[in-house]
Amino acid sequence: MKALRAGLAAALALVTMTCVGACSGTSVGTDTEPGTITLKVNYWGDFGLKNLIPLYTKDHPNIRIQLNPGDVAQQHEDLQKYLVAGSGAPDIAALDTSYTVSFRNQAQRFADLGQLGASTYQDRYLPWKWQETLSPEGRQIGLGTDIGGLAMCYRSDLFKAAGLPTERDKVSALIQDWDAYIRTGEQYLSRSGGKKFVDGAGLLMEAVLQQQQTGYVTPGDILNMDGGPKIAWDTATKVVASGLSANLKPFTPEWNAGMKNGSFATIPCPAWMQAYIKDQAPNTAGKWDIARPPGGAGNFGGSFWSIPAQGKHIKEAYAFVEWLVQPAQQLAIFKEVGNLPAQPALWDDPAIRDARNPFFNGAPVGRIFTESARNVTPQYQGKQTARVRTEVSNVLDQVQEGKIKGAAAWEKAKSAAVRAADR
């Protein structure tokens, strides 16, 4: 989810990626009220919780939910510190998909959700989603919240001004692969009066990578830079060299401003990105639309709920997490923020199947994102994935800044990846 979820520069875990929020917690009530229990929930971005919490606490008057949003990378770094220290962890912690291998290898530091009752939900989940948080010993440390079915969001008003098609099916055909996307971008650039075609190379590189059979590491945690990562790198750097990129870093104030003022016309768009664009650029309602992604299906981001074993309210924390993953709440979250449930049976519910997003010009988001999700080939996420992604992304930033280019940039990216994998 989230996304996903300065996420990309730090870990892109993103949804990456994902997203920046206030660090102060928000809750209703306090532990000073007799008989109450406060559950602290750490996450990032928008998991669609705020409208659900009053419903839960109405039926559980002794429970208070304290939300502690923050930066995606920092939340995971802090959680690791708390786990090692044996104290300080929240009652419930969101995990991004790119960090799951690291945490499931220390599964003893988390409550085994399978033993708490989660095993009854295994058949509801995509098999690969369930496996992502299952430890080698069989401990289930997380319950999936969402996946990041991939699409391409675009500004139909800017396409029209540049003389390009605006209907989503025609745009999908126009940008059917990444070479076609770049050619379309070059046409746009020649007619746009200086406006760029894409927000930056970072999210685009990740989107291309997530469409490949292999990512930064292969099963067995062997670094693999000459497969999918090379394809993604070549595509991203070609976009930069063609002048199509606004060279904005995701989840920064400059990136947010670019959404508002039309500095770019397209952005790789996992399902969770809908809420981010709407939140950051409310003045652009109706100007965006959503096309199929160049290059085919992919999964970009996605998250889980976990419960650190050091918590004092594990039973109550699990009850809340279990409630969140039930169909009614999952459908409500999709309607509110667009996060696509990791339970495929729900995709055929009319609330998802027939869903349209008025902010995105009535785009049939249920059909678009589930079509991508149904065709995903799951990609292995290794324990070094997040670290390698960060280092490679840092070198890509230098390419966007004009500090390095060509073969030298790729060699530097590979060297950085090796160092990150060896840590």
Side-chain angles (χ1 to χ4, degrees), residues 8 46 82 85 99 112 327 333:
L8 182 69
D46 196 341
Y82 298 143
Y99 291 85
D112 183 352
I333 291 169

Side-chain angles (χ1 to χ4, degrees), residues 53-76:
I53 287 174
L55 301 179
Y56 188 79
T57 55
K58 180 181 179 181
D59 292 336
H60 302 81
N62 66 316
I63 300 295
R64 301 292 180 265
I65 308 296
Q66 178 178 311
L67 299 180
N68 300 308
D71 170 73
V72 57
Q74 192 63 52
Q75 290 283 30
H76 291 88

Side-chain angles (χ1 to χ4, degrees), residues 225-240:
M225 291 296 290
D226 291 323
K230 184 62 163 63
I231 295 172
W233 177 271
D234 286 347
T235 305
T237 53
K238 186 175 181 180
V239 164
V240 175

